[in-house]
Coordinates of all heavy atoms in Angstrom, one line a residue:
M1 N 106.8 106.7 82.3 CA 107.9 106.8 83.2 C 108.1 108.2 83.7 O 108.2 109.1 82.9 CB 109.2 106.3 82.6 CG 109.7 105.1 83.3 SD 111.2 104.4 82.7 CE 111.6 105.0 81.1
Q2 N 108.1 108.4 85.0 CA 108.4 109.8 85.5 C 109.7 109.8 86.3 O 110.0 108.9 87.1 CB 107.3 110.1 86.5 CG 106.0 110.5 85.9 CD 105.0 111.0 87.0 OE1 105.0 110.5 88.1 NE2 104.2 111.9 86.6
E3 N 110.5 110.8 85.9 CA 111.8 111.0 86.7 C 111.5 112.1 87.7 O 110.9 113.1 87.3 CB 112.9 111.4 85.7 CG 114.2 111.4 86.5 CD 115.4 111.3 85.6 OE1 115.3 110.8 84.5 OE2 116.5 111.8 86.0
R4 N 112.0 111.9 88.9 CA 111.8 112.9 89.9 C 113.1 113.3 90.5 O 113.8 112.4 91.1 CB 110.8 112.4 91.0 CG 110.5 113.4 92.0 CD 109.7 112.8 93.1 NE 108.4 112.3 92.6 CZ 107.6 111.5 93.3 NH1 108.0 111.1 94.4 NH2 106.5 111.0 92.7
K5 N 113.5 114.5 90.4 CA 114.6 115.1 91.0 C 114.2 115.4 92.5 O 113.1 115.9 92.7 CB 115.1 116.4 90.4 CG 116.2 116.2 89.4 CD 117.5 116.6 90.0 CE 118.6 116.8 89.0 NZ 119.5 115.7 88.8
Q6 N 115.0 114.9 93.4 CA 114.6 115.2 94.8 C 114.8 116.7 95.1 O 115.9 117.2 94.9 CB 115.5 114.4 95.7 CG 115.4 112.9 95.6 CD 114.1 112.4 96.1 OE1 113.5 112.9 97.1 NE2 113.6 111.3 95.5
S7 N 113.8 117.4 95.5 CA 113.9 118.8 95.9 C 114.9 118.9 97.1 O 115.7 119.8 97.1 CB 112.6 119.5 96.1 OG 111.9 118.7 97.1
K8 N 114.7 118.0 98.0 CA 115.6 118.0 99.1 C 116.0 116.5 99.2 O 115.1 115.7 99.4 CB 114.9 118.4 100.4 CG 115.8 118.4 101.6 CD 115.0 118.9 102.8 CE 115.9 118.8 104.0 NZ 115.1 119.1 105.3
P9 N 117.3 116.2 99.0 CA 117.7 114.7 99.1 C 117.2 114.1 100.4 O 117.3 114.7 101.5 CB 119.2 114.8 99.0 CG 119.5 116.1 98.4 CD 118.4 117.0 98.9
S10 N 116.7 112.9 100.3 CA 116.2 112.2 101.5 C 117.3 111.1 101.9 O 118.0 110.6 101.0 CB 114.9 111.5 101.2 OG 115.0 110.6 100.1
R11 N 117.4 110.9 103.1 CA 118.3 109.9 103.7 C 117.8 108.5 103.3 O 116.7 108.2 103.5 CB 118.5 110.1 105.2 CG 119.5 109.1 105.7 CD 119.9 109.4 107.0 NE 121.0 108.5 107.4 CZ 121.6 108.4 108.5 NH1 121.3 109.3 109.4 NH2 122.5 107.5 108.7
S12 N 118.8 107.7 102.8 CA 118.4 106.4 102.3 C 119.2 105.3 103.0 O 119.2 104.2 102.6 CB 118.6 106.3 100.8 OG 117.8 107.3 100.2
G13 N 119.8 105.6 104.1 CA 120.6 104.6 104.9 C 122.0 105.0 105.0 O 122.4 106.2 104.9
N14 N 122.8 104.0 105.3 CA 124.3 104.2 105.5 C 125.1 103.5 104.4 O 124.7 102.4 104.0 CB 124.7 103.7 106.9 CG 124.1 104.6 108.0 OD1 123.0 104.3 108.4 ND2 124.8 105.6 108.4
C15 N 126.2 104.1 104.1 CA 127.1 103.6 103.0 C 127.7 102.3 103.5 O 128.2 102.2 104.6 CB 128.1 104.6 102.7 SG 129.3 104.1 101.5
A16 N 127.8 101.3 102.6 CA 128.4 100.0 102.9 C 129.9 100.1 103.0 O 130.6 99.3 103.5 CB 128.0 99.0 101.9
H17 N 130.5 101.2 102.4 CA 131.9 101.4 102.3 C 132.5 102.2 103.5 O 133.4 101.8 104.2 CB 132.3 102.1 101.0 CG 132.0 101.3 99.8 ND1 132.7 100.2 99.4 CD2 130.9 101.4 99.0 CE1 132.1 99.7 98.3 NE2 131.0 100.4 98.1
C18 N 131.9 103.3 103.8 CA 132.4 104.2 104.9 C 131.4 104.4 106.0 O 131.8 105.0 107.0 CB 132.8 105.6 104.3 SG 131.4 106.6 103.9
G19 N 130.2 103.9 105.9 CA 129.2 104.1 107.0 C 128.6 105.5 107.0 O 127.8 105.8 107.8
G20 N 129.0 106.3 106.0 CA 128.4 107.7 105.9 C 127.0 107.7 105.4 O 126.4 106.7 105.1
R21 N 126.4 108.9 105.4 CA 125.0 109.1 105.0 C 124.8 108.9 103.5 O 125.5 109.5 102.7 CB 124.6 110.4 105.5 CG 123.2 110.9 105.1 CD 123.0 112.3 105.5 NE 121.8 112.3 106.3 CZ 121.4 113.3 107.0 NH1 122.1 114.4 107.0 NH2 120.2 113.2 107.6
V22 N 123.9 108.0 103.1 CA 123.5 107.8 101.7 C 122.2 108.5 101.5 O 121.3 108.4 102.2 CB 123.4 106.3 101.4 CG1 122.9 106.1 99.9 CG2 124.8 105.7 101.5
Q23 N 122.2 109.3 100.4 CA 121.0 110.1 100.0 C 120.5 109.7 98.7 O 121.3 109.3 97.8 CB 121.3 111.6 100.0 CG 121.6 112.1 101.4 CD 121.8 113.6 101.4 OE1 122.3 114.2 100.5 NE2 121.4 114.2 102.5
T24 N 119.2 109.7 98.5 CA 118.6 109.5 97.2 C 118.6 110.8 96.4 O 118.1 111.9 96.9 CB 117.1 109.1 97.3 OG1 117.0 107.9 98.1 CG2 116.4 108.9 96.0
R25 N 119.3 110.8 95.3 CA 119.5 112.0 94.5 C 118.4 112.2 93.5 O 117.8 113.3 93.3 CB 120.8 112.0 93.7 CG 122.0 111.8 94.6 CD 122.2 112.9 95.7 NE 122.4 114.2 95.1 CZ 122.4 115.3 95.8 NH1 122.3 115.3 97.1 NH2 122.5 116.4 95.2
T26 N 118.0 111.1 92.8 CA 116.9 111.2 91.9 C 116.2 109.8 92.0 O 116.8 108.8 92.4 CB 117.3 111.4 90.4 OG1 118.2 110.4 90.0 CG2 117.9 112.8 90.3
S27 N 115.0 109.7 91.4 CA 114.3 108.5 91.3 C 113.4 108.5 90.0 O 113.1 109.6 89.6 CB 113.5 108.1 92.5 OG 112.4 109.1 92.6
R28 N 113.1 107.4 89.5 CA 112.3 107.2 88.3 C 111.3 106.2 88.5 O 111.6 105.1 88.9 CB 113.2 106.8 87.1 CG 112.5 106.8 85.8 CD 113.3 106.4 84.7 NE 114.5 107.3 84.6 CZ 115.6 107.1 83.9 NH1 115.7 106.0 83.2 NH2 116.6 108.0 83.9
E29 N 110.0 106.6 88.2 CA 108.9 105.6 88.4 C 108.9 104.7 87.2 O 108.7 105.1 86.1 CB 107.6 106.4 88.5 CG 106.4 105.5 88.8 CD 105.1 106.3 88.9 OE1 104.9 106.9 90.0 OE2 104.4 106.3 88.0
L30 N 108.9 103.4 87.5 CA 108.8 102.4 86.5 C 107.4 101.8 86.5 O 106.9 101.3 85.4 CB 109.8 101.2 86.7 CG 111.3 101.6 86.8 CD1 112.2 100.5 87.1 CD2 111.7 102.2 85.5
H31 N 106.8 101.8 87.6 CA 105.5 101.3 87.8 C 104.9 102.0 89.1 O 105.7 102.5 89.9 CB 105.5 99.7 88.0 CG 104.2 99.1 88.3 ND1 103.7 98.9 89.6 CD2 103.3 98.6 87.4 CE1 102.5 98.3 89.5 NE2 102.2 98.1 88.2
I32 N 103.6 101.9 89.3 CA 103.0 102.6 90.4 C 103.7 102.2 91.7 O 103.7 102.9 92.7 CB 101.5 102.4 90.4 CG1 100.8 103.3 91.4 CG2 101.1 100.9 90.7 CD1 99.3 103.4 91.2
H33 N 104.2 100.9 91.8 CA 104.8 100.4 93.0 C 106.3 100.1 92.9 O 106.9 99.4 93.7 CB 104.1 99.2 93.5 CG 102.7 99.4 93.9 ND1 102.3 100.3 94.9 CD2 101.5 98.9 93.4 CE1 101.0 100.3 95.0 NE2 100.5 99.5 94.1
L34 N 106.9 100.6 91.8 CA 108.3 100.3 91.6 C 109.1 101.5 91.1 O 108.6 102.2 90.1 CB 108.5 99.2 90.6 CG 109.9 98.8 90.2 CD1 110.6 98.2 91.4 CD2 109.9 97.7 89.1
R35 N 110.1 101.9 91.8 CA 110.9 103.1 91.4 C 112.4 102.7 91.3 O 112.9 101.8 92.1 CB 110.8 104.2 92.4 CG 109.4 104.8 92.6 CD 109.5 106.1 93.4 NE 110.0 107.1 92.6 CZ 109.2 107.9 91.7 NH1 108.0 107.6 91.5 NH2 109.8 108.8 91.0
T36 N 113.1 103.2 90.4 CA 114.6 103.1 90.3 C 115.1 104.3 91.1 O 114.6 105.5 90.9 CB 115.1 103.2 88.9 OG1 114.6 102.0 88.2 CG2 116.6 103.1 88.9
V37 N 116.0 104.1 92.1 CA 116.5 105.2 92.9 C 118.0 105.3 92.6 O 118.7 104.3 92.5 CB 116.2 105.0 94.4 CG1 114.8 105.1 94.6 CG2 116.8 103.7 94.9
Y38 N 118.5 106.5 92.5 CA 119.9 106.8 92.3 C 120.5 107.4 93.6 O 119.9 108.4 94.1 CB 120.1 107.8 91.2 CG 119.6 107.2 89.9 CD1 118.3 107.3 89.5 CD2 120.5 106.4 89.1 CE1 117.8 106.7 88.3 CE2 120.0 105.9 87.9 CZ 118.7 106.0 87.5 OH 118.3 105.4 86.4
L39 N 121.5 106.7 94.2 CA 122.0 107.0 95.5 C 123.4 107.6 95.5 O 124.1 107.3 94.5 CB 122.0 105.7 96.3 CG 120.6 105.0 96.4 CD1 120.9 103.6 96.9 CD2 119.6 105.7 97.2
Q40 N 123.7 108.4 96.5 CA 125.1 108.9 96.6 C 125.4 109.1 98.1 O 124.6 109.5 98.9 CB 125.1 110.3 95.9 CG 126.5 110.9 96.0 CD 126.6 112.2 95.2 OE1 125.6 112.8 94.8 NE2 127.9 112.7 95.0
C41 N 126.6 108.6 98.4 CA 127.1 108.7 99.8 C 127.7 110.1 100.0 O 128.5 110.6 99.1 CB 128.2 107.7 100.0 SG 129.0 107.9 101.7
Q42 N 127.4 110.7 101.1 CA 127.9 112.1 101.4 C 129.3 112.0 102.0 O 129.9 113.0 102.1 CB 126.9 112.7 102.4 CG 125.5 112.9 101.8 CD 125.5 113.7 100.5 OE1 125.9 114.8 100.4 NE2 125.1 113.0 99.4
G43 N 129.7 110.8 102.4 CA 131.0 110.6 103.0 C 132.1 110.4 102.0 O 133.1 111.1 102.0
C44 N 132.0 109.4 101.2 CA 133.1 108.9 100.3 C 132.8 109.2 98.8 O 133.7 108.9 98.0 CB 133.4 107.5 100.6 SG 132.2 106.3 100.0
G45 N 131.6 109.6 98.5 CA 131.3 109.9 97.1 C 130.8 108.7 96.3 O 130.5 108.8 95.1
W46 N 130.6 107.5 97.0 CA 130.1 106.4 96.3 C 128.7 106.7 95.7 O 128.0 107.5 96.2 CB 129.9 105.2 97.3 CG 129.1 104.1 96.7 CD1 129.6 103.0 96.0 CD2 127.7 103.8 96.9 NE1 128.6 102.2 95.7 CE2 127.4 102.6 96.2 CE3 126.7 104.5 97.5 CZ2 126.1 102.1 96.1 CZ3 125.4 104.0 97.4 CH2 125.1 102.8 96.8
K47 N 128.5 106.2 94.5 CA 127.2 106.3 93.8 C 126.7 104.9 93.4 O 127.5 104.1 93.1 CB 127.3 107.2 92.6 CG 127.6 108.6 92.9 CD 127.6 109.4 91.6 CE 128.0 110.9 91.9 NZ 128.0 111.7 90.6
G48 N 125.4 104.7 93.5 CA 124.8 103.5 93.1 C 123.3 103.6 92.7 O 122.8 104.7 92.8
V49 N 122.8 102.6 92.1 CA 121.5 102.6 91.7 C 120.8 101.4 92.3 O 121.4 100.3 92.4 CB 121.4 102.6 90.1 CG1 122.0 101.4 89.5 CG2 119.9 102.7 89.6
G50 N 119.5 101.5 92.6 CA 118.7 100.4 93.2 C 117.3 100.5 92.9 O 116.9 101.3 92.0
E51 N 116.5 99.7 93.5 CA 115.0 99.7 93.3 C 114.3 99.8 94.6 O 114.7 99.3 95.6 CB 114.6 98.5 92.6 CG 115.1 98.4 91.2 CD 114.6 97.1 90.4 OE1 114.3 96.2 91.1 OE2 114.7 97.1 89.2
L52 N 113.2 100.6 94.6 CA 112.3 100.6 95.7 C 111.0 100.0 95.2 O 110.3 100.4 94.3 CB 112.0 102.1 96.1 CG 110.9 102.3 97.1 CD1 111.4 101.7 98.5 CD2 110.7 103.8 97.3
H53 N 110.7 98.8 95.9 CA 109.5 98.0 95.5 C 108.6 98.0 96.6 O 108.9 97.4 97.7 CB 110.0 96.6 95.1 CG 108.9 95.7 94.7 ND1 109.1 94.4 94.6 CD2 107.6 95.9 94.3 CE1 108.0 93.8 94.2 NE2 107.1 94.7 94.1
I54 N 107.4 98.5 96.5 CA 106.3 98.4 97.5 C 105.6 97.1 97.3 O 105.0 96.9 96.3 CB 105.3 99.6 97.4 CG1 106.1 100.9 97.4 CG2 104.4 99.5 98.6 CD1 107.0 101.3 98.5
K55 N 105.7 96.2 98.3 CA 105.1 94.9 98.2 C 103.8 94.7 98.9 O 103.0 93.8 98.4 CB 106.1 93.9 98.8 CG 107.4 93.9 98.0 CD 108.5 93.1 98.6 CE 108.2 91.9 99.4 NZ 109.3 91.1 99.9
H56 N 103.5 95.3 100.0 CA 102.3 95.1 100.8 C 101.8 96.4 101.3 O 102.5 97.4 101.5 CB 102.6 94.2 102.0 CG 103.2 92.9 101.7 ND1 102.4 91.9 101.2 CD2 104.4 92.4 101.8 CE1 103.1 90.8 101.0 NE2 104.4 91.1 101.3
D57 N 100.5 96.4 101.6 CA 99.9 97.5 102.4 C 100.0 97.1 103.8 O 99.8 96.0 104.2 CB 98.4 97.7 102.0 CG 98.2 98.3 100.6 OD1 99.2 98.9 100.1 OD2 97.1 98.2 100.1
L58 N 100.3 98.1 104.6 CA 100.3 97.9 106.1 C 99.0 98.4 106.7 O 98.5 98.0 107.7 CB 101.5 98.6 106.8 CG 102.8 98.0 106.5 CD1 103.9 98.9 107.0 CD2 102.9 96.6 107.1
A59 N 98.4 99.4 106.0 CA 97.1 100.0 106.4 C 96.4 100.5 105.2 O 97.1 101.0 104.3 CB 97.3 101.1 107.4
R60 N 95.1 100.4 105.2 CA 94.4 100.8 104.0 C 94.2 102.3 104.1 O 94.0 102.9 105.2 CB 93.0 100.2 103.9 CG 93.1 98.7 103.7 CD 93.6 98.3 102.4 NE 93.4 96.9 102.1 CZ 94.1 96.2 101.3 NH1 95.1 96.7 100.7 NH2 93.9 94.9 101.1
P61 N 94.3 103.1 103.0 CA 94.2 104.5 103.0 C 92.7 104.9 103.2 O 91.8 104.1 102.9 CB 94.7 104.9 101.7 CG 94.5 103.8 100.8 CD 94.6 102.6 101.7
C62 N 92.4 106.2 103.5 CA 91.1 106.6 103.6 C 90.5 106.9 102.2 O 89.3 107.0 102.0 CB 91.0 107.9 104.5 SG 91.9 109.3 104.0
V63 N 91.4 107.2 101.2 CA 91.0 107.3 99.8 C 91.6 106.2 99.0 O 92.8 106.0 99.0 CB 91.4 108.7 99.2 CG1 91.1 108.8 97.8 CG2 90.9 109.8 100.1
V64 N 90.8 105.3 98.4 CA 91.3 104.1 97.8 C 91.3 104.2 96.3 O 90.3 104.6 95.6 CB 90.4 102.9 98.2 CG1 90.9 101.6 97.4 CG2 90.5 102.7 99.7
N65 N 92.5 104.0 95.7 CA 92.6 103.8 94.2 C 92.7 102.2 94.1 O 93.7 101.6 94.4 CB 93.9 104.4 93.8 CG 94.2 104.1 92.3 OD1 93.5 103.4 91.6 ND2 95.3 104.7 91.8
K66 N 91.7 101.7 93.5 CA 91.6 100.2 93.4 C 92.8 99.6 92.6 O 93.2 98.5 92.9 CB 90.3 99.8 92.8 CG 89.1 100.0 93.7 CD 87.8 99.5 93.1 CE 86.7 99.7 94.1 NZ 85.4 99.3 93.5
E67 N 93.3 100.4 91.7 CA 94.5 99.9 90.9 C 95.8 99.8 91.7 O 96.7 99.2 91.4 CB 94.7 100.7 89.7 CG 93.6 100.6 88.7 CD 93.8 101.4 87.4 OE1 94.9 101.8 87.2 OE2 92.8 101.7 86.8
A68 N 95.8 100.6 92.8 CA 97.0 100.7 93.7 C 96.9 99.7 94.9 O 97.9 99.6 95.6 CB 97.2 102.1 94.1
L69 N 95.8 99.1 95.1 CA 95.7 98.2 96.3 C 96.7 97.1 96.2 O 96.8 96.4 95.1 CB 94.3 97.7 96.5 CG 93.3 98.7 97.1 CD1 91.9 98.0 97.1 CD2 93.7 99.1 98.5
L70 N 97.3 96.7 97.3 CA 98.2 95.6 97.4 C 97.7 94.6 98.4 O 96.9 95.0 99.3 CB 99.6 96.1 97.8 CG 100.4 96.9 96.8 CD1 101.6 97.6 97.4 CD2 100.8 96.1 95.6
P71 N 98.2 93.4 98.4 CA 97.8 92.5 99.5 C 98.3 93.1 100.8 O 99.4 93.7 100.9 CB 98.6 91.2 99.2 CG 99.2 91.4 97.9 CD 99.1 92.8 97.5
L72 N 97.5 92.8 101.9 CA 97.9 93.3 103.2 C 99.1 92.4 103.6 O 99.3 91.3 103.3 CB 96.8 93.1 104.2 CG 95.7 94.1 104.2 CD1 94.5 93.7 105.0 CD2 96.3 95.5 104.6
A73 N 100.0 93.1 104.4 CA 101.2 92.4 104.8 C 100.9 91.2 105.7 O 100.0 91.3 106.5 CB 102.1 93.4 105.6
P74 N 101.7 90.2 105.7 CA 101.6 89.1 106.6 C 101.8 89.7 108.0 O 102.5 90.7 108.2 CB 102.7 88.1 106.3 CG 103.0 88.5 104.8 CD 102.7 89.9 104.7
A75 N 101.3 89.0 109.0 CA 101.3 89.5 110.4 C 102.7 89.8 110.9 O 102.9 90.8 111.6 CB 100.6 88.5 111.3
A76 N 103.7 89.0 110.5 CA 105.1 89.2 111.0 C 105.6 90.5 110.4 O 106.3 91.2 111.2 CB 106.0 88.0 110.5
I77 N 105.3 90.9 109.2 CA 105.8 92.1 108.6 C 105.1 93.3 109.3 O 105.7 94.3 109.7 CB 105.6 92.2 107.1 CG1 106.4 91.1 106.4 CG2 105.8 93.6 106.6 CD1 106.2 91.0 104.9
F78 N 103.8 93.1 109.6 CA 103.1 94.2 110.3 C 103.6 94.4 111.7 O 103.9 95.6 112.1 CB 101.6 93.8 110.4 CG 100.8 94.9 111.0 CD1 100.5 96.0 110.3 CD2 100.3 94.7 112.3 CE1 99.7 97.0 110.9 CE2 99.5 95.7 112.9 CZ 99.2 96.9 112.1
R79 N 104.0 93.3 112.4 CA 104.5 93.5 113.8 C 105.9 94.2 113.7 O 106.2 95.1 114.5 CB 104.7 92.1 114.4 CG 103.4 91.6 115.1 CD 103.7 90.4 116.0 NE 104.3 89.3 115.3 CZ 103.7 88.3 114.7 NH1 102.3 88.3 114.6 NH2 104.3 87.4 114.1
E80 N 106.7 93.9 112.7 CA 108.0 94.6 112.6 C 107.8 96.0 112.3 O 108.6 96.9 112.7 CB 108.8 93.9 111.4 CG 109.5 92.6 111.8 CD 110.5 92.8 113.0 OE1 111.3 93.8 113.0 OE2 110.4 92.0 114.0
S81 N 106.8 96.4 111.5 CA 106.6 97.8 111.1 C 106.2 98.6 112.4 O 106.6 99.7 112.5 CB 105.5 97.9 110.1 OG 104.2 97.7 110.6
L82 N 105.5 97.9 113.3 CA 105.1 98.6 114.6 C 106.4 98.9 115.4 O 106.5 99.9 116.0 CB 104.1 97.8 115.3 CG 102.7 97.6 114.7 CD1 101.8 96.7 115.6 CD2 102.1 99.0 114.5
K83 N 107.3 97.9 115.4 CA 108.5 98.1 116.2 C 109.3 99.2 115.6 O 109.9 100.0 116.3 CB 109.4 96.8 116.2 CG 108.8 95.7 117.0 CD 109.7 94.5 116.9 CE 109.1 93.2 117.5 NZ 109.9 92.0 117.2
S84 N 109.4 99.3 114.3 CA 110.2 100.3 113.6 C 109.6 101.7 113.9 O 110.3 102.7 114.1 CB 110.2 100.1 112.1 OG 110.8 98.9 111.8
A85 N 108.3 101.8 113.9 CA 107.6 103.0 114.2 C 107.9 103.5 115.6 O 107.9 104.7 115.9 CB 106.1 102.9 113.9
E86 N 108.0 102.6 116.5 CA 108.3 102.9 118.0 C 109.7 103.3 118.2 O 110.0 104.0 119.2 CB 107.9 101.7 118.9 CG 106.4 101.4 118.8 CD 106.1 100.1 119.5 OE1 107.0 99.4 120.0 OE2 104.9 99.8 119.6
A87 N 110.7 102.8 117.4 CA 112.1 103.1 117.6 C 112.4 104.5 117.3 O 111.8 105.3 116.7 CB 112.9 102.2 116.7
Ligands
ZN101 ZN1 130.6 106.1 101.7

């Protein structure tokens, strides 16, 4: 298990309470595709814990670790990722 302090907190969305900016303060690797993330709102001080679970590959990398390969995303997820990238 690796714990990683964020050198620069990354934005993780908006707070469900005040709509403020939520940042990832730290994260811990539980598995190659699963992390526990510790979050904090910059607006109201809310803190929470969640999980980041990588479920599918959207594109294959140019350097492949066979143990890290995931099933390719279904077409609908792939199309949504293209829309998100364009926004
Ligand atoms: Zn908040």
Side-chain angles (χ1 to χ4, degrees):
M1 237 179 350
Q2 285 184 326
E3 185 162 338
R4 183 181 304 163
K5 265 258 195 259
Q6 299 287 328
S7 56
K8 182 179 176 188
S10 60
R11 183 164 183 180
S12 301
N14 292 87
C15 177
H17 299 282
C18 74
R21 174 184 234 171
V22 172
Q23 293 183 326
T24 300
R25 304 303 298 174
T26 60
S27 67
R28 182 179 307 166
E29 184 177 283
L30 301 176
H31 178 268
I32 193 167
H33 296 300
L34 179 63
R35 298 191 75 83
T36 297
V37 293
Y38 296 88
L39 307 165
Q40 182 174 11
C41 175
Q42 300 304 296
C44 69
W46 169 85
K47 291 180 181 179
V49 62
E51 291 181 340
L52 174 64
H53 178 197
I54 309 299
K55 296 170 34 177
H56 300 283
D57 287 344
L58 290 173
R60 296 293 191 206
C62 61
V63 178
V64 174
N65 173 358
K66 289 183 178 178
E67 293 180 21
L69 282 176
L70 292 169
L72 283 170
I77 294 173
F78 183 73
R79 279 193 300 272
E80 281 301 311
S81 76
L82 293 177
K83 288 181 191 171
S84 299
E86 293 170 359

